[in-house]
Amino acid sequence: MFEDSRIHNITRYGPSGAEVSGMPEGSVLTVEYTLNGQEYIAINGGPAFTFTHAISLMVNCDTQEEIDRLWTAFCEEGKPEECGWLTDKFGLSWQIVPTELNELLDNSDPVKVENVNRALFSMKKLDIDQLRKAATSNPHEQ
């Protein structure tokens, strides 16, 4: 789903690691990979360590088409949530957001920020045009 993405290395549990962890010998221990140009290392800690909303991966999108494409792909086997968040088929949380969201929220006018937040909190998949409109609207017109 992302350009500039690849797996670099996979390590596996050997006899000593399997004994200590309780994981099967030969099962995946770590995966080193690049996702959209960002490098990561994932560790297989076993079933005791599950994903929660305490961590999510944010994907900044320049266009609504990019938001729509990623949202659709992730939600095929995942679950849409509020405010641009979704959970993929593995239970990992993602935030699919427009790149300009921070700019819309970094405004010296608290009324405009509240308008953007009000719009944001009403959405699942984020809509750039609606967020822009909220940033320039008069709160008494809503």
Side-chain angles (χ1 to χ4, degrees):
M1 288 193 289
F2 299 101
E3 292 182 24
D4 193 16
S5 300
R6 64 194 165 285
I7 294 174
H8 301 284
N9 190 40
I10 297 173
T11 63
R12 300 190 178 276
Y13 280 99
S16 61
E19 182 180 332
V20 170
S21 69
M23 297 294 292
E25 186 175 337
S27 63
V28 172
L29 172 60
T30 64
V31 178
E32 297 175 46
Y33 61 100
T34 297
L35 183 62
N36 204 28
Q38 176 67 47
E39 293 185 11
Y40 297 91
I41 298 175
I43 187 166
N44 177 8
F49 299 98
T50 59
F51 292 123
T52 71
H53 286 348
I55 186 165
S56 64
L57 298 180
M58 180 182 285
V59 181
N60 288 301
C61 300
D62 292 329
T63 65
Q64 188 65 47
E65 292 76 22
E66 187 178 11
I67 290 172
D68 295 345
R69 179 182 67 80
L70 291 172
W71 190 267
T72 299
F74 276 118
C75 287
E76 276 185 25
E77 297 183 63
K79 177 183 166 200
E81 301 195 19
E82 306 302 320
C83 305
W85 286 58
L86 56 85
T87 303
D88 70 16
K89 65 183 180 180
F90 303 105
L92 179 61
S93 294
W94 294 79
Q95 298 176 56
I96 310 299
V97 300
T99 302
E100 67 189 87
L101 181 60
N102 283 339
E103 181 180 317
L104 295 173
L105 292 170
D106 186 24
N107 191 307
S108 61
D109 184 341
V111 172
K112 290 182 179 182
V113 172
E114 179 59 25
N115 289 345
V116 173
N117 276 323
R118 185 178 297 110
L120 176 72
F121 296 148
S122 72
M123 298 177 194
K124 287 194 180 223
K125 179 178 72 173
L126 300 186
D127 182 303
I128 296 172
D129 286 339
Q130 286 184 28
L131 292 168
R132 287 176 184 151
K133 183 179 176 184
T136 59
S137 68
N138 180 332
H140 301 293
E141 296 173 353
Q142 294 190 9

